[in-house]
Amino acid sequence: VRTHMGGHGGGRMRIGWVGVGVMGRHMAGHLMAAGHELSVFSRTASKCAPLVEAGARLASSPMDAAYGADAVFTMVGAPSDVEQVTLGGGGVLEALEPGSLLIDCTTSTPSLAQRVAAAAAGKGVLALDAPVSGGDVGAEAASLSIMCGGSDEAMGGSGYLLDLLGSRVLHMGPAGAGQHTKMC
């Protein structure tokens, strides 16, 4: 287990955000407050209104949120939702370019995280399963604990962004390890 201590960061990134619920809206807001450009999608578009009013672009689908993005975060309700917005038709992997990042913060399953990572790798996309702990209070305060599973390269590329969302960012091992840790 390695604790991420920053080290990456710098320029403004184009970020897609899928899932603007109780926690996702705060998490996306922290990225915007740090100067990143966001495209946001939620099944209930009205949930995106505060972020759109603050300058985010309202996307029409998960795939639309991912177009041109350097990184995409997903924070949706259930594993079936993760599967739909990442691997399904119109999902983010249909639009992400090689070298971009896919970071799933949903509490899901290790096996799904491994499937998403394999599909992402097939497109040259770096994937990280990064479930969070701390609830809506932690999301609002940017004090979440984030348990990450994925390659060292994926962790290195996303660590700066995750540091904006949580006070404790841990790399637990390969794809699925973040989900496995959250389950324990």
Side-chain angles (χ1 to χ4, degrees):
V1 175
R2 286 175 283 166
T3 301
H4 179 75
M5 299 298 290
H8 285 84
R12 177 180 167 107
M13 292 181 73
R14 291 166 301 173
I15 298 172
W17 192 280
V18 177
V20 185
V22 172
M23 293 178 67
R25 67 186 170 102
H26 295 299
M27 295 165 72
H30 294 309
L31 296 173
M32 285 186 66
H36 299 292
E37 177 185 334
L38 260 68
S39 291
V40 294
F41 173 80
S42 184
R43 288 180 293 201
T44 306
S46 62
K47 290 182 178 182
C48 297
L51 294 168
V52 171
E53 289 168 12
R57 181 182 74 84
L58 181 62
S60 61
S61 68
M63 186 169 70
D64 184 34
Y67 276 122
D70 301 305
V72 170
F73 282 82
T74 55
M75 183 64 168
V76 294
S80 59
D81 299 320
V82 173
E83 189 166 18
Q84 180 182 4
V85 303
T86 58
L87 303 173
V92 298
L93 281 175
E94 289 188 5
L96 283 171
E97 297 292 328
S100 58
L101 295 163
L102 172 56
I103 304 158
D104 178 33
C105 296
T106 310
T107 298
S108 184
T109 66
S111 61
L112 179 55
Q114 291 165 345
R115 284 186 23 233
V116 169
K123 293 197 61 165
V125 172
L126 299 170
L128 204 63
D129 54 289
V132 301
S133 179
D136 58 337
V137 171
E140 186 172 6
S143 63
L144 296 167
S145 292
I146 307 173
M147 298 143 277
C148 303
S151 69
D152 288 341
E153 187 179 8
M155 188 66 198
S158 59
Y160 160 72
L161 297 171
L162 294 171
D163 286 342
L164 296 171
L165 308 178
S167 58
R168 188 172 164 106
V169 180
L170 302 170
H171 187 198
M172 305 309 295
Q179 296 296 345
H180 181 75
T181 301
K182 178 84 188 267
M183 290 171 53
C184 294

